Amino acid sequence: EEYGITVEQVAPENTSRRCSECGFTHPDNREDEDFECLKCGYENHADYNAAKNIGLRYLRRNQTGGDGGAPLGVRLNSGTLNVNGGYSPADDESARTGVHAESHRFSGG
C-alpha cells in the first residue's frame, strides 16, 4: 500500500493446465515444469503459462470497471498481456526474470 501497489487474489485452478494462447485445458498439457498444448502446440514454462492465465483471469474479472476504470493490461516481467490475450514482449533492457505482475487502470480519455 505504501508504494501504491494493490494485491488481489485470483483462483489458480487449472491455470497451469490451460493454454494461455488457445484456452484448451487438459491435465496432459503440463508435464513437470514444461507446458505444451495438445491442441495448438504452444510451448512455454508451465509456471509462466499459469502466470499469463492468472493475469487474463484478473483482467476479465475486472472488465466492469466500477471503481474508476477497468484494467487494460497486466505487465509481466517479460512483457504486457492485454484483456484480449495479446502479448507484447518487453525490450531487452526492461525484461527481468520472474512472473510478478502489475496492472494499470484506464480512467477515461
Side-chain angles (χ1 to χ4, degrees):
E1 192 172 300
E2 177 182 348
Y3 296 98
I5 298 171
T6 58
V7 176
E8 292 193 37
Q9 296 294 322
V10 175
E13 184 178 5
N14 286 321
T15 55
S16 65
R17 296 177 178 175
R18 177 183 171 87
C19 180
S20 61
E21 294 295 307
C22 75
F24 179 70
T25 304
H26 194 280
D28 292 339
N29 280 349
R30 179 178 182 158
E31 184 176 329
D32 298 320
E33 293 183 1
D34 298 321
F35 179 89
E36 182 176 356
C37 180
L38 298 175
K39 184 174 181 182
C40 75
Y42 173 72
E43 294 181 46
N44 211 323
H45 189 284
D47 290 341
Y48 185 74
N49 179 69
K52 287 175 68 177
N53 281 319
I54 288 170
L56 285 170
R57 267 188 201 173
Y58 169 77
L59 289 171
R60 291 176 179 154
R61 178 179 75 186
N62 290 292
Q63 283 305 293
T64 56
D67 62 349
L72 294 174
V74 171
R75 190 183 67 73
L76 302 170
N77 289 335
S78 64
T80 303
L81 183 67
N82 71 37
V83 70
N84 297 319
Y87 175 75
S88 301
D91 59 34
D92 289 339
E93 293 176 17
S94 65
R96 297 172 293 173
T97 59
V99 291
H100 303 284
E102 60 190 53
S103 67
H104 56 275
R105 294 197 170 270
F106 178 71
S107 57

